[in-house]
Amino acid sequence: MQTALDRLNIWMTEVPVKFGGLSEQEISERPQPHKWSRKEILGHLCDSALNNLQRFVRAQYEEQPNTIIKYDQDQWVRLMNYQELPFEHILSFWVSLNKQIAAVWERTPENQLTNGFLLSEEQTVTLQWLIDDYVDHMEHHLNQIFGTK
């Protein structure tokens, strides 16, 4: 858990700085008509944070194994209208959501990390797996945004 928390905290510091080096045009430009802009990718990460935050909380009190409630990421990005929102709004939303996730993780008892989630009929994963996957997913998209890896 501590490794995931450390990674998350580093990104919460670095992301605002890295975006500071990009112009509004670079942030808003879509590489292709049906591809997300950097702004929309960060919005998608807000949606991921919203959906995963409730999973991190529910895992600690609901009957095990939990069921993962899925969401349509394209619909969320479209309906949240990230492309038209001011970028600072999206960035502060992302930082705030991740601060709350970090606060939840910091208070999650070690014995809760083995609580299970049904990922599919064939696969059950632990809360720790979901935490690690959340950071991996976030890093994947941040690397897309900033052109690393």
Side-chain angles (χ1 to χ4, degrees), residues 30-140:
R30 289 183 172 141
Q32 295 177 11
H34 297 290
K35 295 283 186 180
W36 291 337
S37 66
R38 289 177 168 120
K39 188 188 231 186
E40 289 172 309
I41 293 171
L42 189 64
H44 165 65
L45 291 177
C46 292
D47 300 339
S48 174
L50 284 165
N51 281 276
N52 279 288
L53 179 57
Q54 58 87 21
R55 293 171 182 160
F56 302 144
V57 172
R58 288 179 40 240
Q60 297 183 60
Y61 71 88
E62 287 187 355
E63 186 177 321
Q64 302 302 309
N66 265 296
T67 301
I68 297 230
I69 299 169
K70 298 184 183 201
Y71 67 102
D72 183 323
Q73 62 187 14
D74 290 319
Q75 292 292 350
W76 274 68
V77 168
R78 183 180 66 80
L79 293 168
M80 294 292 264
N81 199 31
Y82 293 117
Q83 187 67 8
E84 303 307 320
L85 289 176
F87 177 71
E88 285 302 318
H89 173 89
I90 300 166
L91 181 60
S92 64
F93 188 41
W94 180 83
V95 170
S96 294
L97 285 166
N98 282 289
K99 283 182 179 180
Q100 185 59 36
I101 286 171
V104 169
W105 289 357
E106 287 170 348
R107 289 169 187 75
T108 300
E110 191 81 21
N111 66 338
Q112 298 287 317
L113 296 175
T114 57
N115 289 353
F117 277 87
L118 293 172
L119 199 57
S120 67
E121 288 185 26
E122 301 85 33
Q123 185 180 15
T124 301
V125 297
T126 64
L127 175 56
Q128 181 64 62
W129 185 92
L130 279 179
I131 289 169
D132 292 335
D133 184 64
Y134 174 78
V135 178
D136 289 345
H137 172 258
M138 179 185 66
E139 288 178 339
H140 165 76

Side-chain angles (χ1 to χ4, degrees), residues 7 11 135-136 139-140 142-149:
R7 288 165 60 200
W11 281 112
V135 178
D136 289 345
E139 288 178 339
H140 165 76
L142 291 174
N143 288 328
Q144 276 183 312
I145 290 170
F146 302 120
T148 56
K149 285 192 181 179

